[in-house]
Amino acid sequence: MIELLLALILLPLFPLSLLANAALQALPVWLRVPALLALPAAGALLLSQTTVPPGPLATALQVLAAFTALLYAWRLLAVREMFVWARLQATSAWPLVWLAWLHGLRGVALLLVALAMTIPAAVLIILGCSLSRRLGGAYLGLRGRIGPAYPRLTGAWVVAMIAVLAAPPFPGFFAMLAVLQQVPAGPAAVVLAVWLLWSWAAAVLWQHALFGDEWPRAVGTVDLSRSAVVPWLVLAAAAAVLGSIGGWSWWMH
């Protein structure tokens, strides 16, 4: 029972998710990324060593996980601030790790699922810092599209958003397939609904950030340098290739 309570703190479900989000928001930006990555990794490792509780408690955890995932996915529809969007999306993804664990996923597979769903959100936080330096905040859609003023930054952000949405060939796509394969029909419907809500929320965000009137470049600011964009492209390509290879190996297995 102690292990289960610790897992609830590391991979928080509602209402503990409220405290986790408040704590992440209060942290300095340079601590948010390691905290965001450490929480699900430690939680998944702990769950792998924990026995699924008996019937009523397991059912309660499943219902709570489904509610938490849907709640935060729905909440994304009204968010424009990049730091908030990233942590809410991660909070919506973590309950899917619970659903996979409750239905038998363990070990390295569970850890990889947790990380594949969280790393893109951590990347968004890093890009949010770049947005904040150039726009005076990480809020998108306040005055119009940012593409013409910061094309390389916008391109990096779009690629990161595609990864966050668990689109192929990024690892999150295969993580979602692993969860869907593990859970029965009811929880699978929840996973698909959460996936759809993420896409809807991203479409709303893109509508405000990529279309409409042009956002003028602020005086004294510059776009991401080419030397800064290359590592992003290399990491994105590596993630796509590794995700495809890992996903294919898992599928064939």
Side-chain angles (χ1 to χ4, degrees):
M1 185 59 70
I2 294 177
E3 291 85 355
L4 197 61
L5 292 174
L6 288 174
L8 281 169
I9 294 173
L10 295 169
L11 282 170
L13 301 179
F14 187 86
L16 291 176
S17 56
L18 298 174
L19 298 176
N21 271 279
L24 284 172
Q25 187 67 20
L27 287 175
V29 172
W30 60 274
L31 279 178
R32 289 181 193 171
V33 171
L36 198 68
L37 295 175
L39 286 173
L45 289 173
L46 188 58
L47 282 179
S48 293
Q49 307 301 319
T50 306
T51 304
V52 175
L57 183 53
T59 301
L61 284 172
Q62 182 168 277
V63 171
L64 192 58
F67 172 76
T68 305
L70 288 169
L71 173 67
Y72 284 96
W74 180 261
R75 178 72 180 86
L76 283 177
L77 293 171
V79 174
R80 303 289 178 272
E81 209 270 350
M82 208 65 257
F83 293 130
V84 177
W85 205 99
R87 60 178 173 80
L88 290 184
Q89 192 275 336
T91 310
S92 175
W94 293 339
L96 306 185
V97 179
W98 280 94
L99 292 177
W101 171 74
L102 287 167
H103 293 281
L105 197 64
R106 295 287 186 279
V108 175
L110 190 68
L111 174 63
L112 292 177
V113 165
L115 288 176
M117 292 182 178
T118 308
I119 289 175
V123 173
L124 278 186
I125 289 181
I126 296 173
L127 289 175
C129 295
S130 294
L131 287 169
S132 183
R133 286 195 296 269
R134 290 164 175 82
L135 310 180
Y139 187 93
L140 292 174
L142 183 63
R143 292 164 54 194
R145 58 194 173 106
I146 63 173
Y150 308 102
R152 289 188 287 270
L153 175 58
T154 303
W157 174 71
V158 169
V159 172
M161 285 293 293
I162 293 173
V164 165
L165 297 180
F170 290 101
F173 173 74
F174 300 100
M176 294 294 280
L177 290 184
V179 174
L180 286 170
Q181 186 187 49
Q182 196 73 31
V183 300
V190 171
V191 175
L192 291 173
V194 168
W195 209 350
L196 178 62
L197 286 170
W198 290 351
S199 300
W200 184 6
V204 172
L205 201 60
W206 279 333
Q207 179 183 0
H208 289 274
L210 301 180
F211 304 98
D213 297 331
E214 182 178 337
W215 184 310
R217 180 181 293 184
V219 177
T221 64
V222 296
D223 194 13
L224 283 180
S225 64
R226 289 184 175 84
S227 60
V229 171
V230 169
W232 285 112
L233 294 177
V234 171
L235 287 173
V241 171
L242 292 175
S244 298
I245 294 173
W248 178 255
S249 300
W250 162 78
W251 186 264
M252 293 301 294
H253 174 74

